Amino acid sequence: MKNRANKILELLTLSPENKMEVTALAEKLQVSQVTIRKDLDALENKGIIKREHGIALLCSTDDINGRIAYHYEEKRKIAQKAAELIKDGDTIMIENGSCCALLAENLTLSKKDLTIITNSAFIADYIRGKANFQIILLGGIYQPDSQVMVGPMVRQGAENFFVNFFFIGTDGYSSKICFTNKDQMRAQAVRDMALQAEQVIVLTESEKFSKHSVVPLNLKDSVKMVITDNHITDIIKAELESKHIQVIIS
């Protein structure tokens, strides 16, 4: 069911207006309509999708559950590679994002005695009860779709810490301005948290390098590493390395 649910969400993400007919989903996944309706019931109960007149529709493209499912295997491998940088007992920062959520989950399986500082209520709940980690959730204005905290209280909370690693995602990339975000307040939260880290590490599937978002992250020289999949182009890889950003392939 879990793999099928991931495929359903990926199909919806790729579809025009993020919706598909239920019959079309059943055909794509080669299962009966009874089976697909059970799957959709489970997703609807979680608030990830809704159904209307024989159509399944993503509730929000900001919903982390849906974003995790899109390119799930690539993101899982990226998270696994990122986890290798972290030692038992470390304190790290993680911002909101699908690769970041999978990193947090991977850490519960492979590390112990960590402290995770995050502005993501989703991540705090996602790993709840899975490990003995201390979770420090930064306060702020709550964005319900993405389940993330933003605003000046994020900066005020982050100023109480300084860590070696801050893991972030990105919504896009530009050769001129580097990494970008589609939400101004989330971008500012990333900037504020980045001030409290020795190194910022970007976790992203390579597809993001062909996308553009309107808000520059403006992290200047803070980004020291990008962890991505093996579909990154040689041109983008060389471009990042020319900016003294190490590129790690998962």
Side-chain angles (χ1 to χ4, degrees), residues 45-240:
N45 289 336
K46 292 179 180 178
I48 302 171
I49 66 117
K50 61 182 178 181
R51 280 183 289 173
E52 47 189 38
H53 309 300
I55 289 173
L57 171 70
L58 273 181
C59 287
S60 170
T61 54
D62 271 345
D63 187 281
I64 302 293
N65 280 301
R67 285 160 56 190
I68 285 173
Y70 185 57
H71 290 163
Y72 174 80
E73 278 304 316
E74 288 93 334
K75 291 176 179 179
R76 185 186 63 79
K77 290 175 183 176
I78 289 165
Q80 199 169 32
K81 182 63 70 172
E84 295 175 7
L85 300 172
I86 300 164
K87 303 187 297 295
D88 291 343
D90 279 354
T91 297
I92 61 171
M93 279 186 182
I94 306 179
E95 68 103 13
N96 190 60
S98 51
C99 284
C100 294
L102 290 174
L103 167 61
E105 182 181 47
N106 184 283
L107 292 173
T108 67
L109 303 173
S110 59
K111 308 296 174 183
K112 59 184 179 181
D113 301 322
L114 297 186
T115 297
I116 295 179
I117 304 161
T118 183
N119 65 329
S120 171
F122 176 89
I123 287 176
D125 183 64
Y126 196 57
I127 63 173
R128 178 172 54 92
K130 294 182 179 179
N132 66 337
F133 297 170
Q134 177 174 243
I135 308 297
I136 299 173
L137 181 60
L138 301 176
I141 301 166
Y142 180 63
Q143 292 188 338
D145 283 348
S146 55
Q147 299 179 58
V148 65
M149 307 298 185
V150 296
M153 287 179 66
V154 172
R155 175 179 53 78
Q156 292 164 9
E159 284 175 348
N160 292 293
F161 306 96
F162 190 78
V163 299
N164 284 332
F165 298 130
F166 174 34
F167 296 92
I168 71 170
T170 185
D171 292 329
Y173 175 84
S174 162
S175 296
K176 185 175 182 180
I177 59 173
C178 218
F179 300 101
T180 59
N181 194 296
K182 63 183 180 182
D183 183 282
Q184 197 165 45
M185 294 189 75
R186 290 206 292 268
Q188 186 59 51
V190 170
R191 292 184 206 113
D192 291 340
M193 293 170 73
L195 294 173
Q196 307 307 125
E198 191 72 42
Q199 299 182 59
V200 176
I201 300 172
V202 178
L203 311 181
T204 183
E205 68 273 34
S206 60
E207 183 186 74
K208 294 287 180 62
F209 291 105
S210 62
K211 295 185 176 181
H212 299 273
S213 292
V214 297
V215 185
L217 284 178
N218 288 333
L219 295 175
K220 303 186 186 304
D221 298 326
S222 298
V223 176
K224 303 299 183 184
M225 184 184 299
V226 168
I227 303 179
T228 189
D229 59 66
N230 60 7
H231 297 299
I232 187 172
T233 67
D234 291 339
I235 292 173
I236 294 295
K237 185 173 182 290
E239 190 173 290
L240 291 169

